Amino acid sequence: MSEPLILVEVLAQPAKVALIRFNRPKVLNALNDQLAKELEAALTTLDSDPNVHVIVVTGNEKAFAAGADIAAMADWSYATVFNQNYISKHWEAAKSVRKPLIAAVSGYALGGGCEFAMMCDIIIAADTAKFGQPEITIGTIPGMGGTQRLPRAVGKAKAMEWCLTGRMVTAQEAEAAGLVARVVPAEKLMDEVLATAGKIAAQSLPAVMKVKETINAAFETTLDQGLKFERREFHSTFALSDQKEGMRAFIEKRKPEFKNQ
Ligand code: DAK
């Protein structure tokens, strides 16, 4: 049997955190069809697992992922990629995940690697991380959201410059531009990411999923519609026993015990 292209683990500590690791180290975790299929299956399973509240996706020290597999796609025809809707269907699984996805990025996050990181809800980067959309340098353009999510994250001017030149951006530059939530020393990356994941995983799951859904709505609606949606979702939390428990625990000066309902 061939080796799995991703490794999946539900961690003992922190509780309710799952870890997915890209596993093609020889090609800097280049993303191919098989990897995308495995990732889709893992995300779907973990999203419906009640023992998982947060999913962390990572690569290795040298690469989160250096993009789509260039060797695999080099000779494909237009008809092939168009007719097969080139791997979009698998990657789009990430869009329907309701639990928070954290990208823990060390080394290269290029092309599809940068685009997948942007599909996640939070990017935490090692100080060695390098982001970029280098597709222009191989005669193509970003195809998995780079031209759409990058300007929303960093603004038009930077997105244009990054995508038109294909230059790599350091973790520090990516943080200053708003692409990355936090930059941490490379050797502390997983400790920091898992601490963040653990903090989120300890909250009420429905409240966590509502935060994700309402923030994402900010990118799809007008301000007025978004504010109304937020208000409705805020009101709906008062139907949760976790809201009663959370507020009571505050008043009683103790830690809340959420039941995720
Ligand atoms: N694909 C295939 N193999 C890759 C690769 C990639 N993207 N990146 C690296 N490798 C392989 C190298 O060929 C090399 O293999 P061997 O020669 O050892 O067999 C091995 O990984 C180590 O790489 P290097 O020897 O090049 O390592 P260096 O440290 O010298 O350089 C590098 C690291 C990251 C600067 C360099 O490898 C590089 O420039 N890589 C290519 C980066 C790139 O152009 N990425 C964008 C690819 S296009 C879509 C989905 C996805 C996409 C589009 C649409 N849909 C759902 C519609 C995405 C497109 C892309 O990402």
Side-chain angles (χ1 to χ4, degrees):
M1 237 179 74
S2 54
E3 259 198 65
L5 302 188
I6 59 167
L7 305 174
V8 184
E9 199 184 346
V10 177
L11 303 177
Q13 275 304 322
K16 298 189 163 44
V17 175
L19 181 64
I20 298 178
R21 190 180 286 279
F22 296 138
N23 187 36
R24 297 191 80 202
K26 287 190 186 135
V27 286
L28 306 184
N29 292 328
L31 307 167
N32 65 7
D33 211 3
Q34 183 55 34
L35 186 148
K37 276 185 203 156
E38 291 179 25
L39 186 64
E40 176 184 29
L43 289 175
T44 308
T45 303
L46 295 172
D47 203 33
S48 56
D49 182 342
N51 290 317
V52 172
H53 286 195
V54 178
I55 304 167
V56 174
V57 184
T58 195
N60 57 48
E61 210 177 299
K62 179 142 191 217
F64 178 73
D69 191 327
I70 301 170
M73 64 182 167
D75 294 327
W76 289 345
S77 67
Y78 170 70
T80 304
V81 293
F82 182 75
N83 291 347
Q84 293 179 4
N85 197 14
Y86 166 50
I87 66 173
S88 297
K89 54 185 187 297
H90 304 305
W91 290 111
E92 279 171 8
K95 272 199 327 197
S96 28
V97 174
R98 298 175 72 208
K99 295 168 182 172
L101 275 170
I102 303 179
V105 176
S106 182
Y108 299 111
L110 304 176
C114 185
E115 290 171 306
F116 179 74
M118 286 191 284
M119 283 187 193
C120 296
D121 302 301
I122 303 174
I123 303 176
I124 299 180
D127 51 10
T128 55
K130 288 205 165 68
F131 297 85
Q133 297 292 157
E135 292 87 346
I136 195 80
T137 67
I138 54 168
T140 183
I141 72 168
M144 214 169 86
T147 66
Q148 303 305 303
R149 291 195 180 92
L150 193 59
R152 282 168 169 80
V154 306
K156 176 181 167 180
K158 288 183 197 301
M160 282 283 184
E161 198 242 341
W162 298 6
C163 291
L164 288 173
T165 64
R167 84 174 169 87
M168 284 188 220
V169 169
T170 63
Q172 294 72 15
E173 193 178 347
E175 184 188 28
L179 179 62
V180 159
R182 214 141 51 82
V183 178
V184 299
E187 65 280 7
K188 296 224 170 88
L189 177 67
M190 288 320 290
D191 287 350
E192 294 284 342
V193 168
L194 293 180
T196 302
K199 212 171 216 177
I200 299 168
Q203 311 304 326
S204 160
L205 179 61
V208 163
M209 292 194 298
K210 281 171 186 291
V211 167
K212 172 166 172 165
E213 197 177 354
T214 46
I215 289 183
N216 281 336
F219 295 95
E220 309 286 351
T221 55
T222 63
L223 178 61
D224 197 46
Q225 285 169 326
L227 290 170
K228 279 193 185 117
F229 180 58
E230 181 198 70
R231 201 168 322 137
R232 298 283 175 265
E233 287 300 308
F234 166 74
H235 288 159
S236 78
T237 62
F238 286 72
L240 294 170
S241 66
D242 283 349
Q243 171 270 332
K244 300 285 172 290
E245 168 63 9
M247 294 195 183
R248 243 180 250 131
F250 175 81
I251 292 162
E252 292 165 10
K253 301 189 189 301
R254 59 174 174 83
K255 268 184 105 172
E257 280 182 38
F258 293 127
K259 299 216 159 48
N260 307 308
Q261 52 197 359

